[in-house]
Amino acid sequence: MNAIEIRNLTKYYGKSRGIIDVSFDVKQGEIFGFIGPNGAGKSTTIRILLALIYPTSGSATIFGKDSIKYAPEVMKDVGYLPSEVFYYDGMKVIDLLRYSASFYKKDCSKRIKELSEAMDLDLTKKIDDLSFGNKKKVGIVQGLLHEPKLIILDEPTSGLDPLMQQKFFELLEHENKKGATILLSSHVLSEVQRLCNRVAIIKEGKIIKLEAMNALNEENFKRFKIDVAADIPKNYFQFDGVNDLQVKGKTHSFLFKGNINEITQKLAGIKISNLWVDEPDLEEIFMHYYSKEE
Amino acid sequence: MNIYLQELRAYRRFTIIWTVSLVGLVLLYLSMYPAIGKDAESFIKVLEGYPKEVREALGMHLESITSLLGFYSFTFTMITLFGAIQAMIIGTGIVSKEVRERTADFLMTKPVSRTRIMTEKLLAAASTIVFTNVIFLTTASIMANTVKTTEFDGGVFFMMTVTLFFVQLMFLAMGVMLSVILPKMKSVLPISLGVVFGFFAIAAFGATSGDEPMRYLTPLKYFDTAYIMKNGQFETPFVVTGVLVVATAITISYFVYKKKNIHAV
């Protein structure tokens, strides 16, 4: 049984498109990344999964049960960490966490203590008095205190300092090792790169790519940067397999996928003063997928 | 019942302030009664100076206003007005605040059905109204017995007082219904005041024009304290209408809330 199965999910807001025909599965125990630009439909998809909004057509199941029809039951095993957290006026952190725990039929007091210690969260403070980052921590503890089998995160690390981000990743990886499935929506590609096994890329409401993380990394792109000794034509390196060619003075840079001998042959024909070759990070691959669709 | 308790806690200060205010109002009014009772004739002469329309609109019935129950009945125009505002504010607020204060993403992703959320919130709001009315009834009775000049019918007094509870229930139900139907409610106060004063205007207009059917349009006038005083009972058609108003508003609220899309902040 898959943790999440989404089939032809479509949502229109009046006439404007939310998402169109979105389908993908999230397997149990995997960490799945869901990436896309603003307005692509990430939040829409997630909000339908959480039964906050209703689809125009299509279906979604969580652990085999229809996520809309059986929402109250399904949510017992789901932890949701929204990107921006808001809580009730005048509540202390511990009050909110206890209130959250009261919805699950289990004793979460030990977990609350463990998690808040791990995240360095002061339980006695009033939530109104906390900084954005600390409020975020409340959201993290709140989402994990009932040991959910599925964790859904929306822009999880915005607002956290790098040290806390590390602790948070370790926490997530620890939960994942214990068997939790994680669905993570983000624009911060480094966190997607660090955590995810598989990734779905969504743009303008449609899934444009569904790929395993290492396949995406191994897309055999290489980034070249060449300083030439004497000026050469601006389109010298413009041919099949070359992307994003940029020429600044004597420096030519581009991404290349294909038979690398084509590049070495081109290089052999000119005099160069410097050469850099490395693997692009996900950000550049990502941008490539966007510009390709233009 | 965790949501129920949470809501009671959240509305504690609001309820206490309104209860104290309503109690303060009735005590203030009743404290004026001895002076009026003593000098009934000159008081009536002063009131005769008001135009008839104004007296009708404010519920001033000259033939009874100098008796305790008559005076109490007159005060109820104001009391039900304020009581309706209290109920309307909590009605329009208690469900919609989750969206306004952006806590909907927290509460509505918990393993709890929207039906249960609505039920616990309605019960919490109703409980605050019950609390207000119990305190009100107790203090008003004590005060009435303190300032009375002659004995009065305790049963009628009770019936008159309980009209506050019925009016508040109706406005609570209508408030909740409005809050789930309207797509976005930025602030609860303007709409609450607007609706209540709107009904008050209809009531005042209806009273001056003597148009009976118009009473059905304004819940503030479903329970006429003057009638209760005269006849010792409620008017059945209006009781039925009141029950229908509450039942319909609540049913619609459940339906709409269940199907509503809760958008991101």
Side-chain angles (χ1 to χ4, degrees):
Chain A
M1 176 169 54
N2 285 321
I4 301 176
E5 281 185 13
I6 297 181
R7 293 282 174 273
N8 307 106
L9 209 54
T10 302
K11 171 75 178 173
Y12 279 96
Y13 296 102
K15 287 218 184 95
S16 29
R17 66 101 192 133
I19 52 175
I20 303 175
D21 229 14
V22 167
S23 300
F24 61 88
D25 293 340
V26 176
K27 302 191 183 66
Q28 281 197 53
E30 75 173 333
I31 304 184
F32 191 92
F34 192 31
I35 56 187
N38 285 324
K42 303 189 294 296
S43 290
T44 301
T45 310
I46 288 181
R47 290 185 89 78
I48 293 176
L49 265 182
L50 297 166
L52 288 168
I53 62 179
Y54 298 103
T56 308
S57 63
S59 67
T61 61
I62 293 181
F63 296 119
K65 296 204 182 86
D66 184 308
S67 66
I68 306 269
K69 227 190 279 173
Y70 297 100
E73 209 185 308
V74 155
M75 292 312 285
K76 282 191 201 137
D77 296 314
V78 177
Y80 174 50
L81 279 63
S83 57
E84 272 190 86
V85 290
F86 297 93
Y87 294 116
Y88 303 96
D89 287 338
M91 269 188 142
K92 292 207 191 88
V93 174
I94 185 67
D95 297 329
L96 187 282
L97 295 178
R98 286 209 188 112
Y99 184 44
S100 186
S102 70
F103 288 95
Y104 306 99
K105 309 266 190 310
K106 34 172 124 160
D107 180 17
C108 304
S109 38
K110 195 159 150 266
R111 280 281 288 178
I112 292 176
K113 201 156 167 286
E114 280 168 11
L115 289 166
S116 24
E117 271 168 21
M119 295 304 294
D120 197 20
L121 181 62
D122 185 349
L123 294 173
T124 60
K125 277 223 148 87
K126 274 202 172 162
I127 300 182
D128 302 322
D129 296 339
L130 294 177
S131 66
F132 182 80
N134 279 311
K135 280 190 188 149
K136 197 87 189 198
K137 292 184 199 173
V138 176
I140 291 170
V141 176
Q142 173 274 136
L144 298 176
L145 50 73
H146 54 292
E147 298 201 89
K149 295 198 297 187
L150 170 63
I151 304 170
I152 299 181
L153 308 111
D154 196 355
E155 311 285 338
T157 58
S158 68
L160 293 177
D161 66 58
L163 184 60
M164 275 304 138
Q165 279 187 30
Q166 277 313 306
K167 285 210 189 147
F168 181 40
F169 288 151
E170 282 161 16
L171 208 62
L172 286 179
E173 283 166 339
H174 181 68
E175 294 301 308
N176 179 243
K177 280 203 188 73
K178 288 198 303 186
T181 308
I182 300 178
L183 170 64
L184 148 64
S185 131
S186 179
H187 341 271
V188 179
L189 301 166
S190 57
E191 68 195 18
V192 172
Q193 208 158 9
R194 150 94 190 249
L195 292 168
C196 300
N197 311 124
R198 279 197 308 149
V199 160
I201 303 178
I202 186 168
K203 190 184 175 204
E204 284 177 8
K206 301 204 179 116
I207 302 279
I208 56 174
K209 190 120 187 122
L210 188 63
E211 189 108 63
M213 200 66 234
N214 38 27
L216 212 58
N217 280 331
E218 277 168 23
E219 277 271 306
N220 255 334
F221 278 101
K222 290 216 181 298
R223 197 202 303 121
F224 283 87
K225 191 162 134 192
I226 302 153
D227 280 352
V228 293
D231 278 329
I232 55 170
K234 283 207 158 95
N235 59 355
Y236 187 73
F237 288 106
Q238 190 66 65
F239 49 86
D240 258 349
V242 170
N243 277 79
D244 195 29
L245 172 63
Q246 288 179 28
V247 181
K248 285 195 186 98
K250 285 200 159 62
T251 307
H252 295 242
S253 62
F254 54 86
L255 288 176
F256 178 71
K257 176 180 173 177
N259 186 346
I260 202 162
N261 290 294
E262 291 180 44
I263 302 287
T264 52
Q265 277 172 7
K266 280 288 206 179
L267 287 172
I270 54 173
K271 281 211 172 352
I272 63 175
S273 57
N274 212 342
L275 174 67
W276 295 264
V277 185
D278 64 54
E279 307 247 314
D281 59 27
L282 187 56
E283 183 111 37
E284 294 182 80
I285 302 175
F286 191 51
M287 289 302 136
H288 157 77
Y289 276 114
Y290 288 163
S291 46
K292 202 162 83 165
E293 298 305 304
E294 299 300 348
Chain B
M1 291 305 266
N2 52 353
I3 304 174
Y4 174 79
L5 291 171
Q6 165 64 17
E7 293 301 338
L8 284 185
R9 234 173 282 142
Y11 277 99
R12 182 171 48 198
R13 199 194 280 176
F14 172 86
T15 306
I16 290 177
I17 291 176
W18 278 90
T19 305
V20 166
S21 306
L22 281 172
V23 163
L25 189 62
V26 80
L27 290 182
L28 183 67
Y29 270 130
L30 287 176
S31 69
M32 296 194 291
Y33 180 68
I36 292 166
K38 240 185 260 169
D39 206 355
E41 279 155 32
S42 9
F43 182 63
I44 291 183
K45 275 226 180 58
V46 170
L47 291 186
E48 272 169 354
Y50 285 94
K52 186 163 176 289
E53 289 74 30
V54 174
R55 279 186 269 129
E56 301 271 307
L58 292 178
M60 281 181 196
H61 301 286
L62 294 179
E63 67 285 6
S64 59
I65 201 166
T66 51
S67 71
L68 180 78
L69 286 181
F71 185 70
Y72 188 58
S73 154
F74 155 64
T75 66
F76 251 66
T77 311
M78 269 304 120
I79 288 172
T80 47
L81 180 69
F82 285 115
I85 294 174
Q86 173 194 358
M88 192 75 182
I89 290 177
I90 194 174
T92 49
I94 200 163
V95 170
S96 66
K97 70 174 172 150
E98 301 291 345
V99 174
R100 241 170 324 110
E101 289 167 27
R102 309 179 201 182
T103 47
D105 283 8
F106 166 78
L107 182 63
M108 294 170 84
T109 56
K110 291 280 169 273
V112 58
S113 64
R114 292 199 191 182
T115 304
R116 198 185 113 192
I117 295 176
M118 177 61 84
T119 305
E120 291 198 27
K121 282 177 181 263
L122 279 174
L123 282 177
S127 301
T128 65
I129 303 291
V130 167
F131 173 81
T132 300
N133 279 275
V134 165
I135 306 286
F136 183 89
L137 175 65
T138 314
T139 46
S141 309
I142 296 174
M143 190 64 175
N145 277 297
T146 313
V147 301
K148 70 184 175 201
T149 51
T150 53
E151 285 310 305
F152 61 88
D153 188 339
V156 172
F157 184 83
F158 174 77
M159 285 178 80
M160 290 167 76
T161 311
V162 93
T163 63
L164 174 64
F165 178 63
F166 295 145
V167 168
Q168 290 195 302
L169 273 186
M170 286 191 286
F171 277 90
L172 173 64
M174 291 193 291
V176 172
M177 184 186 75
L178 264 182
S179 77
V180 295
I181 287 181
L182 294 176
K184 208 174 196 181
M185 213 185 253
K186 279 209 193 98
S187 171
V188 155
L189 200 57
I191 202 168
S192 301
L193 292 177
V195 169
V196 175
F197 281 121
F199 279 128
F200 185 75
I202 297 175
F205 188 67
T208 52
S209 65
D211 191 351
E212 259 293 291
M214 204 178 251
R215 272 182 70 195
Y216 282 99
L217 289 178
T218 174
L220 285 170
K221 282 261 152 253
Y222 283 7
F223 300 93
D224 185 356
T225 46
Y227 179 92
I228 296 169
M229 202 168 54
K230 240 181 256 172
N231 303 288
Q233 60 182 10
F234 300 116
E235 295 159 275
T236 316
F238 286 105
V239 172
V240 171
T241 316
V243 169
L244 279 176
V245 165
V246 172
T248 314
I250 290 182
T251 310
I252 292 177
S253 301
Y254 270 104
F255 258 121
V256 173
Y257 193 56
K258 193 151 168 69
K259 297 279 165 228
K260 197 166 179 167
N261 281 299
I262 308 290
H263 297 296
V265 299

PDB file of all heavy atoms in Angstrom, chain B residues 228-253:
ATOM      1  N   ILE B 228     -46.759  39.378  27.334  1.00  0.00           N
ATOM      2  CA  ILE B 228     -46.547  38.382  28.396  1.00  0.00           C
ATOM      3  C   ILE B 228     -47.135  38.886  29.710  1.00  0.00           C
ATOM      4  O   ILE B 228     -47.770  38.158  30.465  1.00  0.00           O
ATOM      5  CB  ILE B 228     -45.042  38.083  28.572  1.00  0.00           C
ATOM      6  CG1 ILE B 228     -44.480  37.441  27.311  1.00  0.00           C
ATOM      7  CG2 ILE B 228     -44.804  37.170  29.772  1.00  0.00           C
ATOM      8  CD1 ILE B 228     -42.979  37.337  27.283  1.00  0.00           C
ATOM      9  N   MET B 229     -46.924  40.173  29.911  1.00  0.00           N
ATOM     10  CA  MET B 229     -47.427  40.771  31.148  1.00  0.00           C
ATOM     11  C   MET B 229     -48.949  40.706  31.206  1.00  0.00           C
ATOM     12  O   MET B 229     -49.535  40.405  32.233  1.00  0.00           O
ATOM     13  CB  MET B 229     -46.978  42.238  31.194  1.00  0.00           C
ATOM     14  CG  MET B 229     -46.955  42.803  32.586  1.00  0.00           C
ATOM     15  SD  MET B 229     -46.129  44.362  32.619  1.00  0.00           S
ATOM     16  CE  MET B 229     -47.004  45.275  31.382  1.00  0.00           C
ATOM     17  N   LYS B 230     -49.577  40.964  30.064  1.00  0.00           N
ATOM     18  CA  LYS B 230     -51.033  40.962  30.017  1.00  0.00           C
ATOM     19  C   LYS B 230     -51.602  39.561  30.079  1.00  0.00           C
ATOM     20  O   LYS B 230     -52.629  39.327  30.683  1.00  0.00           O
ATOM     21  CB  LYS B 230     -51.499  41.642  28.711  1.00  0.00           C
ATOM     22  CG  LYS B 230     -52.382  42.874  28.932  1.00  0.00           C
ATOM     23  CD  LYS B 230     -52.829  43.478  27.626  1.00  0.00           C
ATOM     24  CE  LYS B 230     -52.015  44.743  27.366  1.00  0.00           C
ATOM     25  NZ  LYS B 230     -52.215  45.309  26.054  1.00  0.00           N
ATOM     26  N   ASN B 231     -50.955  38.636  29.370  1.00  0.00           N
ATOM     27  CA  ASN B 231     -51.558  37.318  29.181  1.00  0.00           C
ATOM     28  C   ASN B 231     -50.858  36.155  29.855  1.00  0.00           C
ATOM     29  O   ASN B 231     -51.353  35.041  29.823  1.00  0.00           O
ATOM     30  CB  ASN B 231     -51.640  37.008  27.680  1.00  0.00           C
ATOM     31  CG  ASN B 231     -52.413  38.059  26.933  1.00  0.00           C
ATOM     32  OD1 ASN B 231     -53.627  38.153  27.057  1.00  0.00           O
ATOM     33  ND2 ASN B 231     -51.713  38.890  26.197  1.00  0.00           N
ATOM     34  N   GLY B 232     -49.699  36.399  30.426  1.00  0.00           N
ATOM     35  CA  GLY B 232     -49.013  35.342  31.153  1.00  0.00           C
ATOM     36  C   GLY B 232     -48.550  34.193  30.280  1.00  0.00           C
ATOM     37  O   GLY B 232     -48.313  33.097  30.761  1.00  0.00           O
ATOM     38  N   GLN B 233     -48.419  34.427  28.979  1.00  0.00           N
ATOM     39  CA  GLN B 233     -47.899  33.356  28.125  1.00  0.00           C
ATOM     40  C   GLN B 233     -47.225  33.963  26.891  1.00  0.00           C
ATOM     41  O   GLN B 233     -47.360  35.142  26.615  1.00  0.00           O
ATOM     42  CB  GLN B 233     -49.011  32.410  27.705  1.00  0.00           C
ATOM     43  CG  GLN B 233     -50.108  33.103  26.926  1.00  0.00           C
ATOM     44  CD  GLN B 233     -51.219  32.143  26.559  1.00  0.00           C
ATOM     45  OE1 GLN B 233     -51.261  31.015  27.035  1.00  0.00           O
ATOM     46  NE2 GLN B 233     -52.131  32.587  25.715  1.00  0.00           N
ATOM     47  N   PHE B 234     -46.512  33.088  26.157  1.00  0.00           N
ATOM     48  CA  PHE B 234     -45.868  33.523  24.918  1.00  0.00           C
ATOM     49  C   PHE B 234     -46.857  33.411  23.777  1.00  0.00           C
ATOM     50  O   PHE B 234     -47.879  32.747  23.886  1.00  0.00           O
ATOM     51  CB  PHE B 234     -44.650  32.645  24.599  1.00  0.00           C
ATOM     52  CG  PHE B 234     -43.589  32.666  25.664  1.00  0.00           C
ATOM     53  CD1 PHE B 234     -43.273  31.506  26.357  1.00  0.00           C
ATOM     54  CD2 PHE B 234     -42.919  33.834  25.982  1.00  0.00           C
ATOM     55  CE1 PHE B 234     -42.298  31.513  27.333  1.00  0.00           C
ATOM     56  CE2 PHE B 234     -41.952  33.850  26.958  1.00  0.00           C
ATOM     57  CZ  PHE B 234     -41.642  32.693  27.646  1.00  0.00           C
ATOM     58  N   GLU B 235     -46.550  34.093  22.677  1.00  0.00           N
ATOM     59  CA  GLU B 235     -47.414  33.979  21.504  1.00  0.00           C
ATOM     60  C   GLU B 235     -46.928  32.817  20.657  1.00  0.00           C
ATOM     61  O   GLU B 235     -45.815  32.859  20.111  1.00  0.00           O
ATOM     62  CB  GLU B 235     -47.343  35.277  20.694  1.00  0.00           C
ATOM     63  CG  GLU B 235     -47.907  36.465  21.449  1.00  0.00           C
ATOM     64  CD  GLU B 235     -47.375  37.764  20.877  1.00  0.00           C
ATOM     65  OE1 GLU B 235     -46.269  38.184  21.291  1.00  0.00           O
ATOM     66  OE2 GLU B 235     -48.052  38.350  20.021  1.00  0.00           O
ATOM     67  N   THR B 236     -47.776  31.794  20.556  1.00  0.00           N
ATOM     68  CA  THR B 236     -47.361  30.558  19.900  1.00  0.00           C
ATOM     69  C   THR B 236     -46.814  30.730  18.493  1.00  0.00           C
ATOM     70  O   THR B 236     -45.758  30.172  18.189  1.00  0.00           O
ATOM     71  CB  THR B 236     -48.525  29.542  19.881  1.00  0.00           C
ATOM     72  OG1 THR B 236     -49.151  29.553  21.159  1.00  0.00           O
ATOM     73  CG2 THR B 236     -48.016  28.155  19.584  1.00  0.00           C
ATOM     74  N   PRO B 237     -47.446  31.494  17.607  1.00  0.00           N
ATOM     75  CA  PRO B 237     -46.894  31.609  16.242  1.00  0.00           C
ATOM     76  C   PRO B 237     -45.456  32.114  16.249  1.00  0.00           C
ATOM     77  O   PRO B 237     -44.618  31.672  15.462  1.00  0.00           O
ATOM     78  CB  PRO B 237     -47.808  32.624  15.558  1.00  0.00           C
ATOM     79  CG  PRO B 237     -49.013  32.736  16.393  1.00  0.00           C
ATOM     80  CD  PRO B 237     -48.658  32.316  17.773  1.00  0.00           C
ATOM     81  N   PHE B 238     -45.167  33.034  17.162  1.00  0.00           N
ATOM     82  CA  PHE B 238     -43.813  33.579  17.192  1.00  0.00           C
ATOM     83  C   PHE B 238     -42.826  32.602  17.807  1.00  0.00           C
ATOM     84  O   PHE B 238     -41.656  32.567  17.423  1.00  0.00           O
ATOM     85  CB  PHE B 238     -43.798  34.917  17.939  1.00  0.00           C
ATOM     86  CG  PHE B 238     -44.412  36.029  17.135  1.00  0.00           C
ATOM     87  CD1 PHE B 238     -45.685  36.497  17.446  1.00  0.00           C
ATOM     88  CD2 PHE B 238     -43.733  36.577  16.059  1.00  0.00           C
ATOM     89  CE1 PHE B 238     -46.273  37.510  16.691  1.00  0.00           C
ATOM     90  CE2 PHE B 238     -44.309  37.591  15.296  1.00  0.00           C
ATOM     91  CZ  PHE B 238     -45.577  38.056  15.614  1.00  0.00           C
ATOM     92  N   VAL B 239     -43.291  31.829  18.762  1.00  0.00           N
ATOM     93  CA  VAL B 239     -42.409  30.808  19.337  1.00  0.00           C
ATOM     94  C   VAL B 239     -42.007  29.817  18.259  1.00  0.00           C
ATOM     95  O   VAL B 239     -40.834  29.464  18.105  1.00  0.00           O
ATOM     96  CB  VAL B 239     -43.112  30.069  20.499  1.00  0.00           C
ATOM     97  CG1 VAL B 239     -42.261  28.891  20.952  1.00  0.00           C
ATOM     98  CG2 VAL B 239     -43.349  31.008  21.656  1.00  0.00           C
ATOM     99  N   VAL B 240     -43.011  29.401  17.474  1.00  0.00           N
ATOM    100  CA  VAL B 240     -42.740  28.451  16.392  1.00  0.00           C
ATOM    101  C   VAL B 240     -41.760  29.051  15.390  1.00  0.00           C
ATOM    102  O   VAL B 240     -40.790  28.402  14.976  1.00  0.00           O
ATOM    103  CB  VAL B 240     -44.064  28.069  15.681  1.00  0.00           C
ATOM    104  CG1 VAL B 240     -43.767  27.270  14.416  1.00  0.00           C
ATOM    105  CG2 VAL B 240     -44.949  27.270  16.617  1.00  0.00           C
ATOM    106  N   THR B 241     -42.010  30.319  15.027  1.00  0.00           N
ATOM    107  CA  THR B 241     -41.096  30.981  14.089  1.00  0.00           C
ATOM    108  C   THR B 241     -39.683  31.034  14.654  1.00  0.00           C
ATOM    109  O   THR B 241     -38.701  30.791  13.945  1.00  0.00           O
ATOM    110  CB  THR B 241     -41.570  32.422  13.805  1.00  0.00           C
ATOM    111  OG1 THR B 241     -42.967  32.420  13.588  1.00  0.00           O
ATOM    112  CG2 THR B 241     -40.857  32.986  12.590  1.00  0.00           C
ATOM    113  N   GLY B 242     -39.603  31.353  15.936  1.00  0.00           N
ATOM    114  CA  GLY B 242     -38.284  31.427  16.576  1.00  0.00           C
ATOM    115  C   GLY B 242     -37.555  30.111  16.504  1.00  0.00           C
ATOM    116  O   GLY B 242     -36.368  30.054  16.155  1.00  0.00           O
ATOM    117  N   VAL B 243     -38.268  29.042  16.809  1.00  0.00           N
ATOM    118  CA  VAL B 243     -37.649  27.716  16.750  1.00  0.00           C
ATOM    119  C   VAL B 243     -37.193  27.418  15.330  1.00  0.00           C
ATOM    120  O   VAL B 243     -36.096  26.903  15.106  1.00  0.00           O
ATOM    121  CB  VAL B 243     -38.640  26.638  17.256  1.00  0.00           C
ATOM    122  CG1 VAL B 243     -38.113  25.251  16.945  1.00  0.00           C
ATOM    123  CG2 VAL B 243     -38.880  26.784  18.747  1.00  0.00           C
ATOM    124  N   LEU B 244     -38.037  27.782  14.360  1.00  0.00           N
ATOM    125  CA  LEU B 244     -37.683  27.549  12.955  1.00  0.00           C
ATOM    126  C   LEU B 244     -36.434  28.340  12.563  1.00  0.00           C
ATOM    127  O   LEU B 244     -35.562  27.824  11.863  1.00  0.00           O
ATOM    128  CB  LEU B 244     -38.841  27.965  12.041  1.00  0.00           C
ATOM    129  CG  LEU B 244     -39.968  26.952  11.900  1.00  0.00           C
ATOM    130  CD1 LEU B 244     -41.087  27.535  11.048  1.00  0.00           C
ATOM    131  CD2 LEU B 244     -39.459  25.666  11.272  1.00  0.00           C
ATOM    132  N   VAL B 245     -36.369  29.572  13.004  1.00  0.00           N
ATOM    133  CA  VAL B 245     -35.196  30.405  12.690  1.00  0.00           C
ATOM    134  C   VAL B 245     -33.923  29.730  13.203  1.00  0.00           C
ATOM    135  O   VAL B 245     -32.943  29.571  12.472  1.00  0.00           O
ATOM    136  CB  VAL B 245     -35.335  31.820  13.305  1.00  0.00           C
ATOM    137  CG1 VAL B 245     -34.005  32.553  13.316  1.00  0.00           C
ATOM    138  CG2 VAL B 245     -36.365  32.631  12.554  1.00  0.00           C
ATOM    139  N   VAL B 246     -33.952  29.312  14.466  1.00  0.00           N
ATOM    140  CA  VAL B 246     -32.766  28.686  15.055  1.00  0.00           C
ATOM    141  C   VAL B 246     -32.433  27.387  14.341  1.00  0.00           C
ATOM    142  O   VAL B 246     -31.290  27.139  13.948  1.00  0.00           O
ATOM    143  CB  VAL B 246     -32.974  28.438  16.563  1.00  0.00           C
ATOM    144  CG1 VAL B 246     -31.828  27.621  17.138  1.00  0.00           C
ATOM    145  CG2 VAL B 246     -33.091  29.756  17.310  1.00  0.00           C
ATOM    146  N   ALA B 247     -33.446  26.545  14.127  1.00  0.00           N
ATOM    147  CA  ALA B 247     -33.192  25.238  13.500  1.00  0.00           C
ATOM    148  C   ALA B 247     -32.649  25.406  12.087  1.00  0.00           C
ATOM    149  O   ALA B 247     -31.690  24.743  11.694  1.00  0.00           O
ATOM    150  CB  ALA B 247     -34.479  24.419  13.493  1.00  0.00           C
ATOM    151  N   THR B 248     -33.261  26.306  11.317  1.00  0.00           N
ATOM    152  CA  THR B 248     -32.815  26.513   9.933  1.00  0.00           C
ATOM    153  C   THR B 248     -31.397  27.056   9.897  1.00  0.00           C
ATOM    154  O   THR B 248     -30.552  26.560   9.149  1.00  0.00           O
ATOM    155  CB  THR B 248     -33.732  27.519   9.220  1.00  0.00           C
ATOM    156  OG1 THR B 248     -35.081  27.188   9.488  1.00  0.00           O
ATOM    157  CG2 THR B 248     -33.477  27.523   7.722  1.00  0.00           C
ATOM    158  N   ALA B 249     -31.137  28.078  10.693  1.00  0.00           N
ATOM    159  CA  ALA B 249     -29.804  28.691  10.681  1.00  0.00           C
ATOM    160  C   ALA B 249     -28.738  27.669  11.041  1.00  0.00           C
ATOM    161  O   ALA B 249     -27.681  27.599  10.416  1.00  0.00           O
ATOM    162  CB  ALA B 249     -29.758  29.875  11.646  1.00  0.00           C
ATOM    163  N   ILE B 250     -29.015  26.846  12.047  1.00  0.00           N
ATOM    164  CA  ILE B 250     -28.013  25.869  12.471  1.00  0.00           C
ATOM    165  C   ILE B 250     -27.812  24.786  11.413  1.00  0.00           C
ATOM    166  O   ILE B 250     -26.681  24.394  11.104  1.00  0.00           O
ATOM    167  CB  ILE B 250     -28.390  25.275  13.838  1.00  0.00           C
ATOM    168  CG1 ILE B 250     -28.229  26.351  14.906  1.00  0.00           C
ATOM    169  CG2 ILE B 250     -27.531  24.069  14.171  1.00  0.00           C
ATOM    170  CD1 ILE B 250     -28.512  25.894  16.298  1.00  0.00           C
ATOM    171  N   THR B 251     -28.901  24.321  10.826  1.00  0.00           N
ATOM    172  CA  THR B 251     -28.777  23.290   9.789  1.00  0.00           C
ATOM    173  C   THR B 251     -27.963  23.809   8.615  1.00  0.00           C
ATOM    174  O   THR B 251     -27.048  23.132   8.132  1.00  0.00           O
ATOM    175  CB  THR B 251     -30.169  22.865   9.294  1.00  0.00           C
ATOM    176  OG1 THR B 251     -30.976  22.557  10.419  1.00  0.00           O
ATOM    177  CG2 THR B 251     -30.079  21.654   8.392  1.00  0.00           C
ATOM    178  N   ILE B 252     -28.302  25.017   8.156  1.00  0.00           N
ATOM    179  CA  ILE B 252     -27.542  25.602   7.053  1.00  0.00           C
ATOM    180  C   ILE B 252     -26.071  25.718   7.427  1.00  0.00           C
ATOM    181  O   ILE B 252     -25.184  25.410   6.624  1.00  0.00           O
ATOM    182  CB  ILE B 252     -28.113  26.993   6.678  1.00  0.00           C
ATOM    183  CG1 ILE B 252     -29.505  26.837   6.064  1.00  0.00           C
ATOM    184  CG2 ILE B 252     -27.186  27.711   5.702  1.00  0.00           C
ATOM    185  CD1 ILE B 252     -30.185  28.147   5.726  1.00  0.00           C
ATOM    186  N   SER B 253     -25.811  26.145   8.655  1.00  0.00           N
ATOM    187  CA  SER B 253     -24.426  26.297   9.096  1.00  0.00           C
ATOM    188  C   SER B 253     -23.658  24.992   8.977  1.00  0.00           C
ATOM    189  O   SER B 253     -22.534  24.964   8.473  1.00  0.00           O
ATOM    190  CB  SER B 253     -24.372  26.766  10.553  1.00  0.00           C
ATOM    191  OG  SER B 253     -25.035  27.982  10.700  1.00  0.00           O
TER     192      SER B 253
END
